[in-house]
Amino acid sequence: PRPVYTFRMACAVGRHAQASASILKMLLMGALASTWLGLPAFLGSPSRGLASTLTYGCRASLVPCRAAEGDMLPSIDVENSKPGRRVNILELFRGKKGILLGVPGAFTPACSKEHLPGYLNGVADFKAAGAEVMACVAVNDVFVMAAWARHQKALGKMMMLSDTHCELTKALNMELDATANLGTIRSRRYAMLIEDGKIIKLGMDDDAFAPAMLNALKR
């Protein structure tokens, strides 16, 4: 049997790749072959029985890209402190410089003992270096985030944002499959230095802690 050619396109601009004109032409040719020649075409879904089926055509798959330095934040609403009190993450940083933290979960050990406290203890240093907004977001409901804010004494220092439906996390392609330990999809650990809605510096995992982002802010 003939192979099925898969075109995987990484995005260079924006959040997702767009099919080029040549690939669109190939998709059209595959459809025409199916219609005019009676050949099975493969357009966008996995092939079955390739070993016994003569298959012509092509597949174009969009490969989502994780948020990267130079990207703009997506225009996504998250909840702030109370149900229904929503804030647009892009507008929050519009015309401002600041830090956005993403954490796997409120009250989890590393988040509660190291990640968030590092920023809370250094709020004065971050503000002196030019940070106008300090925000932390997690895939937790607004009640859990509010309780965590009180427990961490974050009120007045850090905006504690709830990405209840994982919309922002998915838009940034920062999902973490934590179903084994936390029962659901959560966010990867990250920190972003944002300026006027643009990601200037992105730190993942160990690079998401306060010292690295403070150094980036001071540059």
Side-chain angles (χ1 to χ4, degrees):
R2 286 192 173 185
V4 174
Y5 295 96
T6 301
F7 297 88
R8 295 179 63 80
M9 301 172 289
C11 65
V13 178
R15 295 289 303 127
H16 298 284
Q18 295 184 352
S20 67
S22 60
I23 291 178
L24 290 175
K25 289 178 181 178
M26 295 186 73
L27 288 171
L28 179 60
M29 290 173 63
L32 292 176
S34 176
T35 303
W36 293 346
L37 303 179
L39 299 175
F42 181 57
L43 297 171
S45 59
S47 178
R48 298 178 180 178
L50 287 180
S52 59
T53 303
L54 186 62
T55 306
Y56 296 86
C58 59
R59 175 178 65 196
S61 60
L62 300 181
V63 182
C65 293
R66 181 169 297 144
E69 294 172 4
D71 287 352
M72 295 295 293
L73 288 173
S75 181
I76 300 287
D77 287 349
V78 291
E79 289 183 302
N80 179 24
S81 303
K82 294 181 180 180
R85 181 185 290 176
R86 305 185 69 81
V87 58
N88 184 281
I89 200 70
L90 176 59
E91 294 303 320
L92 179 63
F93 287 91
R94 181 83 68 184
K96 298 179 181 178
K97 182 184 292 186
I99 301 293
L100 176 65
L101 310 182
V103 297
F107 293 103
T108 55
C111 301
S112 294
K113 294 179 181 179
E114 299 180 56
H115 196 193
L116 181 59
Y119 286 91
L120 294 177
N121 294 334
V123 164
D125 294 330
F126 276 93
K127 289 187 175 180
E132 301 168 84
V133 179
M134 301 282 287
C136 174
V137 63
V139 184
N140 286 111
D141 66 68
V142 67
F143 303 106
V144 170
M145 289 299 285
W148 194 38
R150 291 191 296 271
H151 183 266
Q152 291 286 321
K153 296 180 174 58
L155 300 178
K157 299 179 180 179
M158 179 83 66
M159 296 182 68
M160 303 296 281
L161 306 175
S162 176
D163 186 21
T164 308
H165 302 292
C166 204
E167 294 174 339
L168 174 62
T169 301
K170 288 180 179 178
L172 295 171
N173 197 25
M174 289 289 187
E175 299 102 312
L176 172 68
D177 187 353
T179 51
N181 296 318
L182 301 177
T184 187
I185 300 297
R186 297 297 183 96
S187 171
R188 292 194 61 178
R189 186 181 310 284
Y190 65 86
M192 296 176 177
L193 169 59
I194 310 294
E195 186 168 356
D196 194 21
K198 179 182 288 189
I199 303 170
I200 304 301
K201 177 69 176 179
L202 170 62
M204 300 289 298
D205 303 319
D206 289 345
D207 293 330
F209 289 84
M213 298 309 293
L214 182 58
N215 288 336
L217 185 59
K218 289 180 177 179
R219 291 174 186 168

